[in-house]
Amino acid sequence: EVQLVESGGGLVQPGGSLRLSCAASGFTLSSYWMTWVRQAPGKGLEWVANINQDGSEKHYVDSVKGRFTISRDNAKNSLHLQMNSLRAEDTAVYYCARDRLNIVFRSWFDPWGQGTLVTVSS
Amino acid sequence: QSVLTQPPSVSGAPGQRVTISCTGSSSNIGADYDVHWYQQLPGTAPKLLIYGNINRPSGVPDRFSGSKSGTSASLAITGLQAEDAADYYCQSYDSSLSGSKVFGTGTKVTVL
């Protein structure tokens, strides 16, 4: 079964850091682009970042550029999101998702993990 | 902010047909980038519903259908059922935003 499981969320103070992880199983991680999507409480979905198969290409939404870093460890079947200088507006459930196609501009997300909650508050 | 606009809510009685629009622009849907749809049941992660504008993944009922024309796309649900009550999001790619996938604003479907 293809599965993604996030971990690492929690409560952090403004300005703090957190590292999210996403464990992949049931497929070869190294064959796919991977993505992080977030959802603030009661709000819609927001694409955050993605990374290509070997980690050489990464893209970020403007609001996290310079603060978040997406990375992957294909040998350990894991995806990560290092979040620094966290702000209250980063509070959200963070989902990892697999990009289904290698043609990024045509791709969709499937499957999604169950999400991990990040709360930025003092 | 979302660059794809959806109606905040739609509703219908069981058995009825409802449609959800997703309006974009010349840098996303109008640029011939594909539109995909996700269903998010309360308290759960989003699930793929329609990919490549019109295609249903295995296991998705044929009550759900997608279409695309010009700078807009639509999701139709025919024979509305109680279990279809959920939030629905469209998603595409926008060439004006570096590497950016974009989501719609989301639509809450209520079954009366």
Side-chain angles (χ1 to χ4, degrees), chain B:
Chain B
Q1 67 279 11
S2 299
V3 298
L4 304 180
T5 302
Q6 300 177 230
S9 64
V10 299
S11 62
Q16 284 191 329
R17 179 180 188 269
V18 297
T19 61
I20 301 169
S21 60
C22 173
T23 302
S25 66
S26 59
S27 63
N28 43 68
I29 299 175
D32 200 30
Y33 293 120
D34 288 343
V35 177
H36 320 291
W37 291 90
Y38 303 89
Q39 178 192 59
Q40 187 175 32
L41 297 169
T44 69
K47 184 191 91 167
L48 179 69
L49 196 64
I50 297 287
Y51 66 94
N53 306 312
I54 61 171
N55 303 292
R56 281 187 311 276
S58 172
V60 173
D62 59 7
R63 303 183 289 104
F64 295 92
S65 63
S67 63
K68 177 187 154 188
S69 179
T71 58
S72 295
S74 290
L75 173 72
I77 311 174
T78 56
L80 194 64
Q81 298 185 6
E83 60 259 37
D84 299 334
D87 293 326
Y88 293 82
Y89 295 90
C90 59
Q91 176 251 310
S92 186
Y93 177 88
D94 194 293
S95 60
S96 69
L97 306 168
S98 173
S100 253
K101 303 296 185 71
V102 289
F103 286 97
T105 49
T107 298
K108 186 178 202 64
V109 170
T110 300
V111 182
L112 301 172

Side-chain angles (χ1 to χ4, degrees), chain A residues 35 37 39 43-47 50 59-61 65 95 99 104-110 112-115, chain B residues 1-2 32-34 36 38 40 44-48 51-52 89 91 93 97-105:
Chain A
T35 288
V37 175
Q39 185 171 35
K43 302 296 184 182
L45 302 173
E46 180 183 36
W47 174 85
N50 63 1
H59 301 281
Y60 302 90
V61 67
K65 282 180 183 176
Y95 298 100
D99 273 81
V104 175
F105 57 82
R106 294 217 173 274
S107 187
W108 57 92
F109 306 124
D110 181 53
W112 297 59
Q114 86 288 352
Chain B
Q1 67 279 11
S2 299
D32 200 30
Y33 293 120
D34 288 343
H36 320 291
Y38 303 89
Q40 187 175 32
T44 69
K47 184 191 91 167
L48 179 69
Y51 66 94
Y89 295 90
Q91 176 251 310
Y93 177 88
L97 306 168
S98 173
S100 253
K101 303 296 185 71
V102 289
F103 286 97
T105 49

Side-chain angles (χ1 to χ4, degrees), chain A residues 85-104:
Chain A
S85 303
L86 282 161
R87 307 166 180 166
E89 53 265 35
D90 296 316
T91 294
V93 174
Y94 285 74
Y95 298 100
C96 67
R98 184 180 67 173
D99 273 81
R100 193 59 185 87
L101 291 185
N102 291 334
I103 306 172
V104 175

Side-chain angles (χ1 to χ4, degrees), chain A residues 54-92:
Chain A
D54 65 4
S56 61
E57 186 174 346
K58 305 172 186 181
H59 301 281
Y60 302 90
V61 67
D62 284 348
S63 59
V64 309
K65 282 180 183 176
R67 301 188 299 123
F68 289 12
T69 301
I70 189 172
S71 64
R72 64 194 297 158
D73 185 336
N74 290 333
K76 295 183 178 180
N77 292 321
S78 60
L79 174 73
H80 305 283
L81 186 67
Q82 176 67 43
M83 305 185 295
N84 299 330
S85 303
L86 282 161
R87 307 166 180 166
E89 53 265 35
D90 296 316
T91 294

